[in-house]
Amino acid sequence: MALERTFSIIKPDATRRNLTGAIVKKFEDAGLRVVASKRIHLSKAQAGEFYKVHAERPFYDELCEFMASAPIVAQVLEGENAIAKNREVMGATNPSDAAAGTIRAEFAESVGENSVHGSDAPEAAAEEIAYFFSGLELVG
């Protein structure tokens, strides 16, 4: 098993409903450790830069508006196979397809407002972590 780091966002729909602690608890209960965390309010431009990989998709503008609508919690999670574990704990993007007990099954309001984001690969995790955190902020 490989110890790795991944990036996670607790999205505006979840922070608006004061679910940050409940979501972090799910990550921690699954064996992931928070090694960096910050609550910030993204501008639409910052959200657009972060999600630029989706710029050509029809949902891009709506996604950027949503991500700038309220604070988010950006965090770095560490653990054995953290990327896969994080994605397992999050559940399927569509909450109606998410397994019982996952974050999205319990907390997501819709496909668009699905409470969390997580890196899907080591390269994405490294890029996403660097977008939000300096090396000094990663405290394992």
Side-chain angles (χ1 to χ4, degrees), residues 9 17 26 46 82 90 95 106 120 132 140:
I9 293 176
R17 293 178 289 141
K26 286 196 166 286
Q46 289 168 321
M90 288 190 312
E106 289 189 24
D120 61 0
F132 284 95

Short mmCIF file of all heavy atoms in Angstrom, two decimals, residues 9 17 26 46 82 90 95 106 120 132 140:
data_model
loop_
_atom_site.label_atom_id
_atom_site.label_comp_id
_atom_site.label_asym_id
_atom_site.label_seq_id
_atom_site.Cartn_x
_atom_site.Cartn_y
_atom_site.Cartn_z
N ILE A 9 -12.22 19.21 -1.85
CA ILE A 9 -12.96 20.44 -1.56
C ILE A 9 -14.31 20.06 -0.95
O ILE A 9 -15.01 19.18 -1.46
CB ILE A 9 -13.24 21.27 -2.83
CG1 ILE A 9 -11.96 21.82 -3.43
CG2 ILE A 9 -14.21 22.44 -2.52
CD1 ILE A 9 -12.16 22.58 -4.75
N ARG A 17 -24.66 24.55 4.66
CA ARG A 17 -25.48 23.76 5.59
C ARG A 17 -24.70 23.28 6.82
O ARG A 17 -25.17 22.43 7.56
CB ARG A 17 -26.10 22.57 4.84
CG ARG A 17 -27.12 23.03 3.80
CD ARG A 17 -27.71 21.88 3.02
NE ARG A 17 -26.70 21.33 2.11
CZ ARG A 17 -26.53 20.04 1.86
NH1 ARG A 17 -27.29 19.13 2.42
NH2 ARG A 17 -25.59 19.64 1.03
N LYS A 26 -16.11 11.73 8.11
CA LYS A 26 -16.18 10.58 7.20
C LYS A 26 -14.81 10.26 6.61
O LYS A 26 -14.43 9.10 6.50
CB LYS A 26 -17.21 10.83 6.09
CG LYS A 26 -18.64 10.71 6.58
CD LYS A 26 -19.57 10.56 5.41
CE LYS A 26 -20.93 10.11 5.85
NZ LYS A 26 -20.99 8.71 6.24
N GLN A 46 -11.29 32.79 -9.90
CA GLN A 46 -10.48 31.74 -9.26
C GLN A 46 -11.10 30.37 -9.50
O GLN A 46 -10.39 29.40 -9.79
CB GLN A 46 -10.36 32.00 -7.76
CG GLN A 46 -9.49 33.18 -7.42
CD GLN A 46 -9.63 33.60 -5.96
OE1 GLN A 46 -10.73 33.58 -5.39
NE2 GLN A 46 -8.51 33.99 -5.36
N ALA A 82 -4.70 7.24 -0.82
CA ALA A 82 -5.61 8.34 -0.48
C ALA A 82 -6.53 8.75 -1.63
O ALA A 82 -7.69 9.08 -1.40
CB ALA A 82 -4.82 9.54 0.01
N MET A 90 -16.33 9.65 -1.07
CA MET A 90 -17.20 10.66 -1.68
C MET A 90 -18.44 10.01 -2.30
O MET A 90 -19.53 10.55 -2.18
CB MET A 90 -16.47 11.44 -2.78
CG MET A 90 -15.43 12.39 -2.28
SD MET A 90 -14.80 13.49 -3.57
CE MET A 90 -14.41 12.41 -4.92
N PRO A 95 -25.70 11.77 -6.86
CA PRO A 95 -26.04 11.22 -5.54
C PRO A 95 -27.01 10.05 -5.59
O PRO A 95 -26.97 9.18 -4.72
CB PRO A 95 -26.63 12.40 -4.79
CG PRO A 95 -26.85 13.48 -5.77
CD PRO A 95 -26.02 13.19 -6.97
N GLU A 106 -25.38 10.81 1.34
CA GLU A 106 -25.96 11.41 2.54
C GLU A 106 -26.19 12.91 2.44
O GLU A 106 -27.16 13.41 3.03
CB GLU A 106 -25.05 11.12 3.75
CG GLU A 106 -25.09 9.67 4.16
CD GLU A 106 -24.37 9.42 5.48
OE1 GLU A 106 -24.24 10.34 6.30
OE2 GLU A 106 -23.94 8.27 5.66
N ASP A 120 -8.71 12.95 -9.10
CA ASP A 120 -8.94 11.64 -9.70
C ASP A 120 -7.66 10.89 -10.08
O ASP A 120 -7.73 9.75 -10.53
CB ASP A 120 -9.86 11.76 -10.91
CG ASP A 120 -9.29 12.63 -12.01
OD1 ASP A 120 -8.17 13.15 -11.87
OD2 ASP A 120 -9.97 12.79 -13.04
N PHE A 132 -3.89 25.61 -4.29
CA PHE A 132 -4.43 26.15 -3.05
C PHE A 132 -3.42 26.26 -1.90
O PHE A 132 -3.64 27.03 -0.96
CB PHE A 132 -5.61 25.31 -2.57
CG PHE A 132 -6.87 25.55 -3.34
CD1 PHE A 132 -7.22 24.73 -4.41
CD2 PHE A 132 -7.71 26.60 -3.02
CE1 PHE A 132 -8.37 24.95 -5.13
CE2 PHE A 132 -8.88 26.85 -3.74
CZ PHE A 132 -9.20 26.02 -4.80
N GLY A 140 2.15 17.33 7.85
CA GLY A 140 1.79 15.95 8.12
C GLY A 140 2.19 15.58 9.49
O GLY A 140 1.82 14.74 10.16
#
